[in-house]
Each structure stands twice: as structure tokens, then as C-alpha cells.
Amino acid sequence: MRKNQLFFIVTAFIALTALHVNAAEPRRVHLIPEPVSVREQSGEFILDNSVSLELKSKNKQLQQSLKWFSAKIQRATGVDVSKSNGSKKITILLNTDTDAEIGKEGYHLKVSPQQIVLTANTAAGAFYGLQTIIQLFPSDIEAKQLKAGLNWNIPSVEVTDYPRFGWRGLMLDVSRHFFTKEEVKGFIDEMVKYKYNTFHWHLTDDQGWRIEIKSLPELTKKGAYSVKRTGRWGTFLPALANEEPTYGGFYTQEDIKEIVKYAQDRYVTVLPEIDVPGHSLAMITTYPSLSSTRKQYSVNSGWRTDPQDDNSLDPSNEDVYKTLDKVFTEIAKLFPCQYIHIGGDEAYKGYWEKNPACQKLMAKEGLKDVEQLQSYFIKRLEKILESKGKKLIGWDEILQGGLAESATVMSWRGMNGGIEAAKMNHPVVMTPWDYVYLDLYQGDPLAEPDTYGLCRLSDSYNYEPVPAGLDEKLILGGQGNLWTESVPTYRHMEYMVWPRSIALSEVYWSPKSKKNWPDFMSRLENEFTRLDAADINYSKSCYNVIFKPVKEGRNDVSLTMATEVPGLEIYYTFDNTFPDLHAAKYDGSVLNFPMGASQINAVTYRNGKPIGKQINIKKEELIKRSEAARHVY
Ligand code: ACM
């Protein structure tokens, strides 16, 4: 009892103090991801023609970054800070003695009315500091053209910052739908704003082989194209007889080099993924003899077949290893990344079980089952990669049948694979689907483009990559993963990636102790104005109503409603009219459908204005959801 009273008094005091600070001084600094330490001060640095950049370092890469920085500032403001004779300085220093606090990617930033000083140990750290300076400017700094007549002031502040994890990645699947070289560069530009440093490039799958392999030119001639289909993924009509596969594309090795360099200039490591032994239909379409069935397939546009296509390479066929050796020889030369991702996920093994050559190999090698056969395959790849000076990383199925000695595991089917690998002292990148998969619905499916599953913005934000009891050092970090089965365009890609990847950037960069959902949302809303200025098609689904069915016996349901964003109001109707401010306001209680009502319309409001989409949900749909084994929406 006494404890509770004390808790109440302390909480009330903290809340009142916070209110007082907020009321006295509106926040001027809205950084994302939240830095380790931010101390706002009075006054501001005014950007005008008297400002110039001063770099106290000969670092070539940083000189390059400063060109990017001044061009970015000049585009919207018209001010050229790259000149050398300004009286007011933005000074960038690289430490000669390492500052242990900020490490390899951290920085100190001090903005005062007279000067900006940015200090880092490395060019990468300085680059993240430059990103922070850009974020301190008004939102229109993100505009693609000159914005005349605006004030370009940034608040005085002291920031100390460094990341929680060294691996902060986003994955883009360019197999299910091809994204052009320029689009990939755009993706990289967007990710570095939030201090991501790893671009995981899913280059091959059943729907297309996207990278030129000079010693195997057929792979892209044949494997890069399918027939075009539109609609709901998985329901597509297979290729018709004589239908020409013309949909797709690939990157030449020159394109790859250009993108790797583009990424390097932005301190991003490109991790290439060649997904084997499963998900290999594009390769098998090109070389049918590499599968167990040796059947001629065509590159899959997104149809399902029964029995399923044989999209797994045959681990008993030496030609498979010879072919992959050629592939990895070229991949290893193109990508400086110390890792190559070999996929390893969801390999269908049914045809291995029927393949006499696989049975013979299993008997010879003493392999008990097809999981061990898969492990044999992965271990052969580990040796191939080692011979090219590369380390193997794969999806968590590579644990099945025994993990290769030097493998790093990317855990996607949940956290368990990562936990198992870490317990065996293997490094882990955590990407559990229910928190970081960017292809999932991010709000009620009734208001979203077709896909599957659910991962709300708050799910991503609340994700904690280090399970209790595990050595944090073994968790290299994490990613957001965008599979593109249902994402055919760049604009749609942006919609899926943002803002969930902004939430994830904070999970991977910011101190765990700083996690605070309402505070994040308030900074994110400021960030939305920047995304608007940059014309990025981010999702606003976090503003939509969440319907929660309450089962009322057979064939009946009532409901409650909620919002992800704090402080919104919900208005609703049962008569299929738009819920305006004269409609019923939701008070948090369980709602029963009035006699005869078969649907409810609901909209969120803030300050008397609708902010979410109107969503209409049928009673029937709520009954269906209430009876589902797992409520996902
Ligand atoms: C995966 O989502 N199949 C890695």
C-alpha cells in the first residue's frame, strides 16, 4: 500500500514536471533515431550566405560526403556552404586520438549561434553527424527544389551519439519484382537518413535471377524474365504455351559496381544474397539438370502449382557445386562485404527424398535425413565461400541437420533460431518476421493493399532484438526485410518501408533505455512533414482504428476499438454513413451491434479533424475474426 502511494506521488511529480517543461518550452529538436544524449539550448544557428564548411581532415571519403552535404543544403536553401571564405563555420573534425565513448560510428555535435562543430573518430561517424545536422533544419530542407523566402535556422543543441548495434540493415527483394539501378540508389539514400549501414540485396529467387554472372550468361538471359501478372499474389495464371517471358530485368556487373560504390560512399555495406538450395527456380529454369526432377520449368510470376515445382537444387549433383563456385567467384569479387548470404530458407526436400542419387549420397556420408543432407550442402558452400575469403550467413533453417562451423544465422521464423545459434556461440542477426517483415499488413487489411500477416508500426517499435539472458555481443544487430511478392512498384515499396523502418532504426541505433512510444510518435509526426517535403509515399496506417472483436457465443460478436497513436478520438456509426463529429464518440466500452445492424463505420479524429481513414467492417467479418485461432488484426 505504502509502496503504491509512493509510486503514485513520484509518477504524478514526473508527469507534472514533464508538462511544465513542455508548456514552458515547445520542443525544437526532433531527431530520429533518438540519440544517446540531446541537450537543447537557447538560441539558434542561422544559415545564410556567411556560412561555410570547414573540414579539418584530409580524409577523402569525408570530403566526398561533404560534397553530398553541401549539395543537399544548396538544393532547398540556395546557400552554398562549400565556399571557403564564410565568417560563420560548420566545422568538421576527425579525432586523431580515438574517443572511446563514441566508437566507430558515433559523433559529438555542438550547435551554437556562432558555429557548428561536429567531431567523430571516423568518416562514418561524421556522416551520421551530418545526417543529424540535416534533421535539425526545418522540414523543407528535404524539398527537391529551391524553397525561396524561408528561414533556415537550427536550434542550439549538444548531441552525443553512437549506435547500439553495428549491423543495422534493410533487405530489399528485387527478384519477385525488379527494381532499377536508380531505384536501388533511391532506397539507399532513404535508408541512410536513419543511419542504416547494411543493404541486404535479395538478388535471386523463383521469380528471377537478377545479377549478371559472366561465366554463366544464360542465368540472366533466361532466368531474369517471367510473364507479367497483376492481382493477388499466389492466384496468378501460369505461363501460357508460347507466352513470351518479357517481365523483369537484371543488373550488369557494371551496375553492381556502381551501386556498391554508391553505397560505400554512404557508409553502407551491400550484403548480396544468392538464395539456395530452395527458392532456386530461376536458376533451375535456366539449367534444369541442376534439380532432382530435371524438369523444364519457367520462371514463376507468382502462381502456385500442385504438385509444387521442383525449385530446389540437387545436393547430390556435383555440377551444382561447380556452378555455384562460378557464381560465388564472381559475387566475391563484386562485393567487398565480408559475408555472402546463401539463403537456405524453406527448401522443399520432397524431391530429394525421391531422388536415388540423394539417397546414395546420404548412405555414403552417413546422413540420417534430408535435413542433414541440407546441412551437408550448406557446409560444402561454407568451404566454397571460405576459398574466396568470404563468410557464410544464412536464414535460420541452416541450423537444421547441424550448423556449419563458421556460419552466422539470420533468424526470421522468430527469435528461437537466433537464440539456438547464439547459445552455440555463433553470431546472429535478428529479423523475426512478426516484428521486422515489411511486406506484412501494417493496419486493418480492409484499408491496406493485399498482402498477409500483420506487423503494425508499434510492433516494430516495441521489438527488442536481444532476448533475456543472451550475451548481447553475439547479436550483431537486425534488419527490416521487404519481400516484394505484392510490391510491384517503387511507390508501393516506400509505403511498406516507411515509417516501420524508422521505428526499427530506433530499435537498432538508440539506447534501449530511451524507448518511449508517445515520445517516438511525437518525433515521427515531425518526420512525416519531412517525408512529405521529400515526396516519399509513407504509410499513415498507424492513425487507423483497430477493431477488436469480442466473441458473444455462436454467430454473434461485439467489439472494442483502439488506436495505436495516443490521444486520438474515434467516432462511429452503424448506419453506413460517414462518422462526423455529430456521430457517436467511442468511450472505450464494449459495443453491441444494435438489432439489425450488419456493419460499423469508424474514423479517428484529432482536434476535430479526421486523421485516419474511414473503415467499414461487416459484423460477419468480425465474427470470422473472433473465431479465428489467432487474432491477427
Ligand atoms: C524467409 O522469409 N523465407 C526468409
Side-chain angles (χ1 to χ4, degrees):
M1 186 64 168
R2 287 173 64 84
K3 241 187 188 167
N4 280 350
Q5 277 171 349
L6 181 65
F7 177 75
F8 175 77
I9 291 163
V10 170
T11 315
F13 177 75
I14 292 170
L16 284 172
T17 316
L19 272 177
H20 173 74
V21 169
N22 283 345
E25 249 186 81
R27 171 189 215 146
R28 299 190 301 166
V29 174
H30 310 262
L31 296 172
I32 292 194
E34 175 71 15
V36 171
S37 149
V38 178
R39 284 186 300 279
E40 290 195 41
Q41 283 152 2
S42 57
E44 55 197 8
F45 179 93
I46 298 169
L47 181 87
D48 55 28
N49 284 320
S50 72
V51 175
S52 68
L53 276 178
E54 176 184 47
L55 173 62
K56 295 197 170 166
S57 162
K58 297 221 161 10
N59 187 294
K60 286 269 176 307
Q61 203 180 359
L62 189 49
Q63 284 170 8
Q64 194 64 29
S65 302
L66 288 185
K67 281 195 192 143
W68 159 83
F69 179 71
S70 17
K72 169 112 189 170
I73 288 181
Q74 189 168 17
R75 187 168 58 175
T77 69
V79 176
D80 178 10
V81 294
S82 67
K83 62 187 177 304
S84 58
N85 55 352
S87 56
K88 215 160 53 173
K89 300 284 187 208
I90 302 177
T91 303
I92 294 112
L93 299 143
L94 283 195
N95 293 321
T96 42
D97 293 329
T98 300
D99 173 348
E101 184 191 12
I102 56 175
K104 283 209 291 270
E105 295 185 296
Y107 61 92
H108 291 291
L109 175 66
K110 183 164 173 34
V111 178
S112 60
Q114 302 75 30
Q115 196 183 10
I116 296 178
V117 183
L118 171 63
T119 319
N121 293 323
T122 64
F127 180 69
Y128 295 128
L130 295 175
Q131 294 291 354
T132 296
I133 296 175
I134 296 284
Q135 273 194 10
L136 289 168
F137 276 106
S139 303
D140 279 318
I141 197 79
E142 293 296 338
K144 296 207 161 83
Q145 68 289 319
L146 191 68
K147 297 292 245 186
L150 300 181
N151 290 326
W152 300 101
N153 305 349
I154 71 179
S156 296
V157 66
E158 274 189 56
V159 178
T160 294
D161 204 10
Y162 49 86
R164 180 174 174 204
F165 295 103
W167 186 306
R168 304 178 305 279
L170 287 183
M171 188 209 82
L172 178 64
D173 164 11
V174 294
S175 174
R176 273 50 181 270
H177 289 285
F178 179 64
F179 291 88
T180 65
K181 182 174 67 178
E182 291 312 316
E183 288 172 333
V184 171
K185 287 183 182 175
F187 186 82
I188 292 169
D189 282 335
E190 289 175 28
M191 62 188 264
V192 296
K193 286 183 190 168
Y194 306 104
K195 304 183 171 81
Y196 280 101
N197 66 0
T198 304
F199 171 51
H200 173 175
W201 207 359
H202 184 78
L203 285 162
T204 71
D205 213 301
D206 298 333
Q207 285 72 27
W209 184 279
R210 304 289 180 217
I211 177 166
E212 177 190 26
I213 301 297
K214 288 193 191 282
S215 57
L216 301 163
E218 292 295 316
L219 270 177
T220 40
K221 212 160 159 194
K222 197 159 181 175
Y225 298 95
S226 64
V227 296
K228 185 164 166 55
R229 295 287 182 267
T230 307
R232 194 176 171 93
W233 182 266
T235 66
F236 296 162
L237 205 60
L240 306 174
N242 303 325
E243 191 179 2
E244 214 29 55
T246 54
Y247 181 67
F250 67 93
Y251 310 100
T252 64
Q253 294 205 351
E254 286 313 304
D255 293 337
I256 298 279
K257 285 180 202 160
E258 192 177 320
I259 287 172
V260 166
K261 167 82 170 63
Y262 191 86
Q264 256 174 347
D265 286 346
R266 287 152 184 78
Y267 308 89
V268 168
T269 301
V270 183
L271 168 70
E273 180 182 350
I274 303 296
D275 199 353
V276 289
H279 287 272
S280 293
L281 197 68
M283 189 178 210
I284 287 167
T285 298
T286 314
Y287 302 116
S289 67
L290 299 184
S291 77
S292 292
T293 56
R294 301 180 171 230
K295 232 175 112 174
Q296 177 66 64
Y297 293 101
S298 49
V299 176
N300 186 310
S301 306
W303 53 74
R304 293 216 173 91
T305 55
D306 186 17
Q308 89 149 61
D309 292 346
D310 183 5
N311 65 342
S312 295
L313 299 172
D314 172 4
S316 68
N317 183 347
E318 282 304 310
D319 286 345
V320 164
Y321 302 102
K322 284 185 198 142
T323 309
L324 289 177
D325 192 297
K326 287 184 183 168
V327 169
F328 288 127
T329 299
E330 296 189 33
I331 297 273
K333 286 195 186 124
L334 287 167
F335 294 91
C337 182
Q338 60 174 318
Y339 290 98
I340 292 177
H341 199 306
I342 53 79
D345 58 319
E346 300 178 309
Y348 179 70
K349 305 175 187 80
Y351 296 107
W352 294 358
E353 277 162 355
K354 296 188 195 127
N355 179 347
C358 285
Q359 300 308 317
K360 201 167 145 203
L361 175 67
M362 286 167 68
K364 177 169 158 245
E365 296 289 331
L367 308 172
K368 278 203 325 277
D369 51 30
V370 283
E371 276 68 42
Q372 290 195 356
L373 182 57
Q374 172 175 286
S375 167
Y376 166 89
F377 171 87
I378 303 288
K379 286 171 182 163
R380 294 273 312 256
L381 294 200
E382 181 188 34
K383 293 280 165 302
I384 294 177
L385 296 194
E386 265 171 17
S387 75
K388 328 266 171 235
K390 297 292 183 183
K391 291 201 265 194
L392 180 146
I393 183 167
W395 300 110
D396 56 69
E397 287 93 329
I398 64 172
L399 283 152
Q400 294 165 353
L403 187 57
E405 204 181 340
S406 65
T408 297
V409 170
M410 192 171 272
S411 189
W412 75 275
R413 291 177 301 166
M415 308 283 276
N416 285 346
I419 294 171
E420 191 183 331
K423 284 192 172 151
M424 295 189 289
N425 265 332
H426 286 254
V428 170
V429 178
M430 283 290 191
T431 70
W433 67 271
D434 38 356
Y435 295 100
V436 314
Y437 268 30
L438 306 170
D439 53 332
L440 306 183
Y441 287 119
Q442 49 199 315
D444 196 297
L446 293 167
E448 296 294 324
D450 282 341
T451 182
Y452 71 104
L454 181 76
C455 174
R456 292 184 186 281
L457 177 64
S458 51
D459 295 327
S460 291
Y461 185 77
N462 289 325
Y463 165 52
E464 167 48 41
V466 183
L470 221 60
D471 181 358
E472 177 150 345
K473 282 203 284 303
L474 286 166
I475 309 298
L476 302 178
Q479 297 188 165
N481 294 343
L482 182 64
W483 303 102
T484 57
E485 285 93 332
S486 303
V487 185
T489 66
Y490 192 82
R491 293 293 282 175
H492 191 160
M493 182 263 271
E494 288 184 331
Y495 179 86
M496 303 309 279
V497 173
W498 313 111
R500 282 182 293 196
S501 298
I502 299 180
L504 287 174
S505 78
E506 199 140 315
V507 170
Y508 301 136
W509 179 282
S510 305
K512 189 176 160 186
S513 60
K514 288 210 142 183
K515 202 161 231 183
N516 180 328
W517 171 247
D519 182 75
F520 170 73
M521 268 316 303
S522 107
R523 283 178 292 115
L524 183 64
E525 294 206 351
N526 178 268
E527 193 61 27
F528 284 168
T529 66
R530 307 174 70 83
L531 295 172
D532 285 332
D535 191 25
I536 288 170
N537 183 32
Y538 63 95
S539 161
K540 302 178 191 76
S541 307
C542 60
Y543 291 118
N544 292 346
V545 174
I546 300 172
F547 298 102
K548 298 183 175 178
V550 179
K551 197 165 161 46
E552 299 283 357
R554 251 177 73 78
N555 235 1
D556 200 8
V557 75
S558 54
L559 76 155
T560 61
M561 294 185 282
T563 64
E564 270 191 286
V565 177
L568 305 188
E569 293 169 337
I570 302 172
Y571 286 79
Y572 64 95
T573 62
F574 284 110
D575 60 2
N576 206 17
T577 56
F578 180 82
D580 66 10
L581 289 172
H582 299 271
K585 181 174 163 183
Y586 182 58
D587 65 2
S589 56
V590 175
L591 284 183
N592 295 307
F593 280 82
M595 192 83 78
S598 61
Q599 61 194 318
I600 179 169
N601 281 358
V603 188
T604 54
Y605 278 77
R606 183 156 65 191
N607 301 331
K609 297 222 165 55
I611 187 161
K613 282 187 194 166
Q614 172 184 221
I615 305 183
N616 169 291
I617 187 163
K618 304 271 182 281
K619 188 175 178 184
E620 247 168 62
E621 170 66 15
L622 280 167
I623 291 174
K624 204 170 91 196
R625 290 185 188 181
S626 75
E627 287 170 352
R630 184 166 170 236
H631 295 173
V632 288
Y633 308 128

